[in-house]
Amino acid sequence: MRNLSEAILVGMGKLHLYLRHRKQAEAKHELHRKYEGQYRNAGLVLLFDMFMALAVVVVVAIVAGILYLVTR
């Protein structure tokens, strides 16, 4: 199970860096500068960012629902 999750995080990290920077040299530079040279770290940061974005959407939906019910 650990190897599967590791592989998924590494894949996400590689995909994220290469889609974002297009040039392999830029992606490698960013990998070493920001993520300690590990694709796994890039994948973890991407996953955390996605969860935070989802949390913001949920909080906004809850606040909008409360405001709708209160002002109705």
Side-chain angles (χ1 to χ4, degrees):
M1 183 67 174
R2 181 169 167 85
N3 290 336
L4 178 62
S5 63
E6 189 86 16
I8 291 171
L9 287 174
V10 167
M12 285 175 55
K14 282 184 181 180
L15 183 65
H16 170 68
L17 283 173
Y18 290 120
L19 286 178
R20 185 164 187 195
H21 295 287
R22 301 287 180 194
K23 294 182 182 176
Q24 192 170 7
E26 289 178 12
K28 287 279 188 186
H29 177 69
E30 187 76 6
L31 177 68
H32 290 289
R33 185 179 72 83
K34 221 174 175 181
Y35 304 110
E36 300 174 358
Q38 294 187 10
Y39 289 110
R40 180 183 177 276
N41 291 346
L44 279 171
V45 169
L46 178 62
L47 185 63
F48 181 71
D49 287 346
M50 289 189 309
F51 279 132
M52 290 305 294
L54 182 62
V56 167
V57 169
V58 168
V59 168
V60 168
I62 290 171
V63 169
I66 290 171
L67 286 174
Y68 175 75
L69 290 175
V70 169
T71 60
R72 191 165 72 140

